[in-house]
Amino acid sequence: MLKELHTVEKPKESKVEDIAIIGLACKFAEAQDKDQFWQVLREGKDCIRKLPKSRKENVDEYLKFSGLTLDDVIIREGGYLEEIDKFDYAFFKISPKEASLMDPNQRLFLETAWRTIEDAGYAPSKLAGTNTGVFVGYSHDFGDSYKKLIHKYAPESLSMATLGNINSVITGRISYLLDLRGPSMLVDTACSSSLLAVHLAAESIKNGDCEMAIAGGVKLWLIPVEPKDAGEFGGEAGPGIGIESKDGRARTFDDNTTGTGFGEGVGAVLLKPLKKAIEDGDRIYAVIKGSATNHDGKSIGISAPNVEAQEAVIQKAWKRAGINPETISYIEAHGTGTKLGDPLEIYALQNSFAKHTKKKHFCAVGSAKSNVGHLDNAAGIVGLIKVILALKNREIPASLHFKKPNKEIDFLNSSVYVNDELRPWLVEKEPRRAGVSSFGLSGTNVHLVLEEVFGETLSEDSKVNENIVKTQFDRKKCWVKPSRNKVMINSDNDDLVKNILSLINDRNSGLKKVTNLVIKEEGSGLSATERKVAAIWAEILGMEEISIYDNFYDLGGDSIIALSIASIISKEFNIELSLDQIFRSPTIFETSKQIDSSGTNKITFKKISRRRES
């Protein structure tokens, strides 16, 4: 009996489980999806370019509103997305007005998370109630926030814009929309944010906090202009922090490098335990064998890299992966193209390999920053997706702009070499393995070890993909517009109420027609109250067509929007409307009935006394 009790009480050793990558989606410069991104990489395409024409409308509007011209500003070349101002708000049950006030970073990652789940062969609705986590690397430290643009254009809308511009809501909205019950968190460690998000997601799965996880990052330059008088590499709104390449291109490991370029994009992966993924018949892109993170501690400067720390995080990841470092044949480097960072990174890699082998030139290195620029907090997810696609296609893409090795780097006696052309990814016996590094300006470092999978994946045309009809992204322009009234500096909710009332009221008729508003029941004997309430809802929600039977929640309503509606109705009808009443009577029809019967004792409305008004 004692022996049996001892056996029961003895703690089981936890096995470090491999993590499968079963879905991915991305959008980078000149690449709308993962297939186009692979073509960019395979063809060795330089995606650094001038601002696309499709983006100029928003910039021109900004300059005009600010009293500036193109002659007053600098717009650098960069890895720009084709468009950042469109969104399918109806699909996600968000009102047009709220969508136009949401940070485009939030909208873009929401779409990408949805596509990632579909790419894995799952209907997003099937994840409802599951213990799925969401981890996103994001910050707007090096560019203007959308909230600042709203404050400039339409300060009276700031209260309604609150949720759409809180950074943590990027993950929270996804978890809410899909009813995901796992951890949901934003990660901000500067350049290493998104790869750290993947590491945290993998660790969360291993320790049982979630069964699956969405992880990635997003980075946009909303209005990429900076004043000329701020200098070539500075400016309040521009991406300059002093390490920028003169022509916007990262010449990683090259002797003629002048710094890093910048880019935009979004990427996400769906993670799951490898064993479970195999059992469920999931398609597996690659496997995360191990990962690690640490901090530089005290170095020569708070923003300067620490070779010892980089070496330590690589060694730790290798140990956790349980692999022989000689079997790693590619490293996707952080590779910013800076004079200080590049030599130190190669030195750390060389030191790490030297502890295990004396072999030379067996591991290729490269950086996607040479293709699409440095995506700051989303840089890590770009490198990770590049490696995933390279493993899947068994080819190593070229690292661009490498003509003459950096004289500060001893490549001759190194374990690594710069891969400057497209090569077949050849190995002898072991599966293909690779590392991905991401080192943050904050001092936080991350390294992942990836491996291909043999004989356990499903083919591209397997049944796992036939079950899903992928969503087609009816995207309409959603961008804050300058207020119809002149900018009010100290705007509050009272300003919003006054502005809306001025739009819907007319002294003679009692109702001013809202532009383009169609009330579906117009020919069915609508009451004056229903018309007025419909106009209020339509203006607040940004609707051009509305039904008096539409549900407030289905139109994208939330507590902040309800508060605005309640305030306006209270003032317009001289009643006090509780927020709870909006939620319990969530249609124009029901709300109008309550307003018309506001003199009875059956409702929670209260007449506003003259004393209270004063």
Side-chain angles (χ1 to χ4, degrees):
M1 182 180 292
L2 287 173
K3 184 177 180 180
E4 288 179 359
L5 285 173
H6 179 72
T7 302
V8 171
E9 292 175 358
K10 183 178 180 181
K12 295 182 179 179
E13 292 184 5
S14 59
K15 179 181 178 295
V16 176
E17 190 172 16
D18 291 341
I19 302 296
I21 299 168
I22 64 170
L24 69 87
C26 64
K27 186 178 289 188
F28 303 123
E30 300 197 46
Q32 295 295 307
D33 53 38
K34 67 178 188 296
D35 295 327
Q36 290 184 19
F37 184 46
W38 176 245
Q39 286 305 309
V40 162
L41 296 170
R42 195 174 189 281
E43 295 170 7
K45 191 171 185 180
D46 178 358
C47 297
I48 305 302
R49 55 180 176 163
K50 293 181 179 180
L51 186 71
K53 291 182 179 179
S54 56
R55 300 278 295 276
K56 289 194 67 178
E57 180 183 349
N58 294 333
V59 170
D60 290 343
E61 184 176 67
Y62 175 86
L63 294 176
K64 182 179 179 181
F65 191 84
S66 303
L68 300 171
T69 69
L70 286 172
D71 292 332
D72 300 317
V73 299
I74 295 171
I75 302 178
R76 306 184 196 187
E77 290 192 355
Y80 293 107
L81 293 183
E82 194 65 32
E83 62 180 28
I84 64 171
D85 59 357
K86 292 184 179 178
F87 180 63
D88 189 351
Y89 52 81
F91 178 78
F92 290 106
K93 294 186 177 179
I94 296 172
S95 71
K97 184 65 175 289
E98 185 182 13
S100 71
L101 297 174
M102 283 174 64
D103 185 341
N105 289 278
Q106 190 175 135
R107 301 193 309 238
L108 186 57
F109 196 85
L110 174 58
E111 291 177 334
T112 303
W114 191 278
R115 288 165 55 207
T116 300
I117 296 168
E118 289 186 330
D119 183 71
Y122 290 90
S125 59
K126 294 297 183 182
L127 269 62
T130 64
N131 195 22
T132 299
V134 184
F135 301 77
V136 180
Y138 175 69
S139 170
H140 54 68
D141 287 343
F142 301 126
D144 265 348
S145 70
Y146 196 59
K147 190 175 183 179
K148 286 183 181 179
L149 192 63
I150 295 169
H151 187 270
K152 188 180 186 74
Y153 279 3
E156 73 278 5
S157 298
L158 280 172
S159 60
M160 189 172 177
T162 300
L163 278 179
N165 289 273
I166 296 175
N167 289 354
S168 59
V169 175
I170 291 180
T171 57
R173 191 183 292 275
I174 294 169
S175 297
Y176 163 78
L177 180 70
L178 298 179
D179 190 21
L180 307 180
R181 307 298 176 87
S184 186
M185 67 181 71
L186 194 82
V187 180
D188 181 8
T189 56
C191 319
S192 56
S193 300
S194 59
L195 201 64
L196 181 58
V198 176
H199 165 74
L200 293 175
E203 291 299 298
S204 185
I205 291 173
K206 290 176 184 179
N207 65 32
D209 284 340
C210 57
E211 299 164 1
M212 291 194 295
I214 301 163
V218 59
K219 180 66 179 183
L220 298 177
W221 296 107
L222 303 177
I223 304 290
V225 302
E226 54 189 303
K228 280 185 178 178
D229 57 12
E232 187 177 7
F233 299 122
E236 181 183 352
I241 59 172
I243 59 170
E244 290 73 37
S245 166
K246 290 182 179 179
D247 64 357
R249 287 158 179 82
R251 291 174 169 79
T252 306
F253 308 129
D254 189 81
D255 196 49
N256 293 317
T257 185
T258 59
T260 196
F262 77 91
E264 299 178 307
V266 60
V269 292
L270 183 62
L271 308 181
K272 191 176 187 179
L274 177 60
K275 182 179 179 182
K276 181 64 173 171
I278 294 171
E279 289 176 357
D280 293 345
D282 294 317
R283 176 184 56 193
I284 302 169
Y285 283 101
V287 174
I288 299 175
K289 294 291 293 182
S291 60
T293 182
N294 71 1
H295 192 274
D296 282 340
K298 193 168 185 178
S299 61
I300 60 174
I302 189 170
S303 63
N306 185 325
V307 172
E308 292 180 356
Q310 290 185 14
E311 182 182 335
V313 79
I314 292 168
Q315 293 281 350
K316 190 174 183 180
W318 289 350
K319 184 176 181 181
R320 287 183 173 179
I323 53 95
N324 179 355
E326 283 191 7
T327 64
I328 296 174
S329 46
Y330 179 70
I331 297 285
E332 174 64 16
H334 186 58
T336 57
T338 58
K339 291 286 188 181
L340 179 63
D342 281 7
L344 293 182
E345 181 169 8
I346 296 299
Y347 190 55
L349 275 172
Q350 173 57 28
N351 288 351
S352 297
F353 278 120
K355 287 181 168 60
H356 301 275
T357 180
K358 294 183 179 180
K359 289 176 64 176
K360 306 296 182 187
H361 307 142
F362 67 89
C363 182
V365 295
S367 175
K369 292 177 180 65
S370 64
N371 298 95
V372 296
H374 189 349
L375 272 64
D376 295 312
N377 47 276
I381 196 66
V382 183
L384 177 64
I385 291 177
K386 173 185 172 180
V387 173
I388 292 169
L389 296 176
L391 284 169
K392 177 179 177 290
N393 292 280
R394 299 183 176 181
E395 290 181 312
I396 302 177
S399 193
L400 306 187
H401 315 306
F402 183 74
K403 305 300 181 184
K404 179 182 178 183
N406 189 317
K407 61 177 175 290
E408 300 297 326
I409 302 175
D410 183 13
F411 281 115
L412 186 63
N413 296 303
S414 176
S415 302
V416 303
Y417 64 92
V418 178
N419 189 70
D420 59 354
E421 64 181 5
L422 178 69
R423 301 174 189 269
W425 194 336
L426 303 176
V427 292
E428 295 180 1
K429 296 181 180 179
E430 299 287 344
R432 291 168 180 81
R433 289 179 179 143
V436 184
S437 291
S438 195
F439 307 133
L441 185 70
S442 64
T444 297
N445 308 308
V446 186
H447 190 80
L448 265 66
V449 178
L450 269 69
E451 180 180 283
E452 68 176 342
V453 181
F454 288 108
E456 294 170 329
T457 62
L458 293 177
S459 62
E460 289 287 337
D461 57 352
S462 64
K463 63 180 180 181
V464 74
N465 293 314
E466 293 176 354
N467 296 328
I468 298 300
V469 178
K470 293 188 178 180
T471 304
Q472 300 296 320
F473 302 102
D474 186 14
R475 305 173 83 237
K476 299 178 181 178
K477 183 163 183 175
C478 298
W479 197 258
V480 61
K481 289 289 185 182
S483 177
R484 295 174 221 184
N485 299 325
K486 268 299 180 183
V487 176
M488 295 170 293
I489 302 301
N490 297 315
S491 176
D492 57 22
N493 198 56
D494 283 340
D495 292 324
L496 177 64
V497 171
K498 290 174 185 176
N499 284 349
I500 299 298
L501 289 179
S502 70
L503 289 171
I504 67 170
N505 283 325
D506 183 277
R507 291 183 181 276
N508 296 322
S509 66
L511 177 67
K512 179 180 178 181
K513 179 178 174 62
V514 176
T515 305
N516 297 327
L517 175 61
V518 174
I519 304 175
K520 292 180 181 178
E521 294 78 18
E522 185 62 55
S524 305
L526 289 176
S527 69
T529 301
E530 288 171 336
R531 287 193 182 94
K532 190 169 289 190
V533 173
I536 293 171
W537 278 39
E539 185 63 30
I540 289 287
L541 295 167
M543 309 291 293
E544 295 183 352
E545 182 176 287
I546 201 166
S547 166
I548 63 172
Y549 302 108
D550 282 340
N551 189 285
F552 179 68
Y553 305 104
D554 291 340
L555 295 176
D558 57 36
S559 58
I560 293 178
I561 297 173
L563 185 62
S564 298
I565 289 176
S567 297
I568 295 170
I569 287 178
S570 295
K571 285 184 177 290
E572 178 64 14
F573 292 97
N574 197 34
I575 57 176
E576 187 171 293
L577 178 61
S578 69
L579 192 62
D580 179 63
Q581 190 67 25
I582 292 287
F583 289 119
R584 291 195 289 114
S585 301
T587 67
I588 293 168
F589 175 75
E590 292 173 285
T591 300
S592 299
K593 280 179 62 179
Q594 300 289 6
I595 292 171
D596 289 337
S597 60
S598 60
T600 70
N601 295 323
K602 296 180 180 179
I603 60 171
T604 61
F605 292 122
K606 296 178 181 178
K607 291 287 186 180
I608 300 177
S609 67
R610 292 180 182 274
R611 179 176 299 174
R612 179 159 185 164
E613 284 181 330
S614 63

